[in-house]
Amino acid sequence: MPAEFEFPSALAGCINATTKVVVLTGAGISADSGIPTFRDSQIGLWKNYKPQELASIRAFEKDPKLVWDWYRWRRGLIDRAEPNPAHYALKQLEECAPETTIITQNIDGLHRKAGTTHLIELHGNIHRARCLPEDKSLLTWDYKADIPLCPDCGGRLRPDVVWFGEPLPNEELAYAVRCSRECDLFLSIGTSGLIEPAASLAYEALRCGAKVIEINLEATPLTVYATHVFTGQAKSILPPLIEWMITSR
Ligand code: BJW
């Protein structure tokens, strides 16, 4: 373990092949791969727009090209990004504790790119579009068109992500709640913990007796309730912490 980190002895070797672990990730884990978080001020062409306002059906109905342009810009950043050591540490965790579930609010697909298989994408995925008339997901479409149309029915497409005021995918959310209630250990990584219903998962875990670990650059509403809090970058803290929880005795 690098000398700069001292982890509590209560966490040494606390993960084994039968430990049920749930990990909730947010934009902070991908910030270490160069993808701006939701609350970072935006840059370049997008510096005068608020993400909270673009990620809405209202914005899309008012100006679909603007919203598609924003998603195309983000997809460009995402497609050039690589998973960082925090994503890979979670893959290692999954290998040692097969009952690990990674629940992400991110739409960037970096967990999958790192090899994670037991993954719930609560807010959708930027690499998919949804046909509005047919209400079906598509992986292949002309995303460079100003306002992309469905190759099958010609109807309008939208990014297949969950905007404010929209329901999360039913089955995925129900499964995320169940895993959070049944886990022994819950890690909350790089999320502001402000957006519901994802924010409530950590409290479900706590209520049902799990240890909750938070890793973030700053305090969040969860900080005072978490069992252990580590302040700093996910990519620096998570790999040695996972190593400590798996191998130390
Ligand atoms: C680092 C770091 C580093 C930085 N290392 N850390 C109850 C009360 C009040 C309101 C509500 C409620 N329940 C629902 C609502 C409404 C709403 C909501 O939560 N509003 C809040 C403002 C309160 N929720 C919804 O509308 C949800 N829908 C819903 O509940 O529907 C109900 C319904 C049922 C039936 C019919 C109809 C409706 C939907 C929420 C969807 C959120 N969507 C977005 C956009 C996704 C698509 C896209 O990406 O474009 O999801 S919004 C945005 O926020 C995005 C994120 O996934 C999500 C969470 O953000 P996250 O990940 O926490 O990022 P940041 O940027 O906020 O924070 C980054 C953190 O990382 C910070 O803490 C940094 O410090 C840290 N960090 N670098 C470690 N290197």
Side-chain angles (χ1 to χ4, degrees):
M1 182 183 65
E4 72 258 36
F5 294 109
E6 246 184 59
F7 297 122
S9 55
L11 292 178
C14 72
I15 291 177
N16 59 45
T18 61
T19 317
K20 291 185 180 156
V21 189
V22 167
V23 184
L24 174 70
T25 65
I29 195 167
S30 294
D32 290 336
S33 292
I35 300 173
T37 69
F38 250 72
R39 267 130 272 273
D40 280 341
S41 37
Q42 298 202 98
I43 47 169
L45 288 176
W46 297 101
K47 68 174 184 289
N48 296 324
Y49 293 91
K50 287 198 176 94
Q52 298 90 317
E53 285 165 15
L54 290 167
S56 72
I57 190 69
R58 207 172 337 114
F60 186 73
E61 279 167 355
K62 187 168 158 221
D63 192 343
K65 178 176 178 309
L66 177 80
V67 172
W68 267 114
D69 283 344
W70 184 55
Y71 278 92
R72 273 188 281 268
W73 171 71
R74 290 174 65 202
R75 182 166 165 168
L77 297 177
I78 286 167
D79 286 348
R80 287 191 296 277
E82 290 299 329
N84 65 61
H87 294 102
Y88 288 115
L90 293 178
K91 166 68 185 152
Q92 188 200 349
L93 169 64
E94 191 184 56
E95 276 161 14
C96 297
E99 291 195 66
T100 293
T101 306
I102 313 287
I103 304 170
T104 190
Q105 300 167 84
N106 300 341
I107 61 168
D108 55 37
L110 287 181
H111 286 297
R112 208 175 293 285
K113 208 168 175 183
T116 287
T117 52
H118 204 182
L119 179 67
I120 304 175
E121 293 179 319
L122 274 186
H123 292 166
N125 190 300
I126 200 167
H127 297 104
R128 293 194 311 257
R130 197 157 83 234
C131 170
L132 287 167
E134 296 175 292
D135 194 27
K136 73 171 187 200
S137 280
L138 299 173
L139 266 174
T140 315
W141 75 99
D142 178 12
Y143 79 94
K144 291 196 173 128
D146 280 354
I147 302 172
L149 298 178
C150 176
D152 299 329
C153 77
R156 195 173 270 193
L157 297 179
R158 59 163 280 179
D160 195 7
V161 299
V162 182
W163 286 328
F164 284 113
E166 297 183 332
L168 275 65
N170 242 330
E171 272 179 32
E172 282 85 343
L173 178 60
Y175 187 60
V177 170
R178 199 172 90 220
C179 291
S180 303
R181 288 181 179 153
E182 290 175 357
C183 72
D184 308 303
L185 184 63
F186 185 104
L187 281 81
S188 173
I189 303 173
T191 174
S192 54
L194 296 173
I195 305 303
E196 294 292 354
S200 291
L201 296 174
Y203 300 94
E204 286 297 315
L206 272 174
R207 194 174 59 79
C208 295
K211 277 186 191 147
V212 172
I213 295 177
E214 179 178 62
I215 300 177
N216 202 303
L217 287 183
E218 57 188 32
T220 74
L222 177 66
T223 305
V224 292
Y225 301 101
T227 325
H228 300 281
V229 175
F230 301 103
T231 305
Q233 288 180 306
K235 75 165 180 199
S236 310
I237 295 173
L238 197 56
L241 175 62
I242 299 244
E243 193 74 23
W244 177 253
M245 292 195 291
I246 290 172
T247 59
S248 301
R249 291 279 166 233

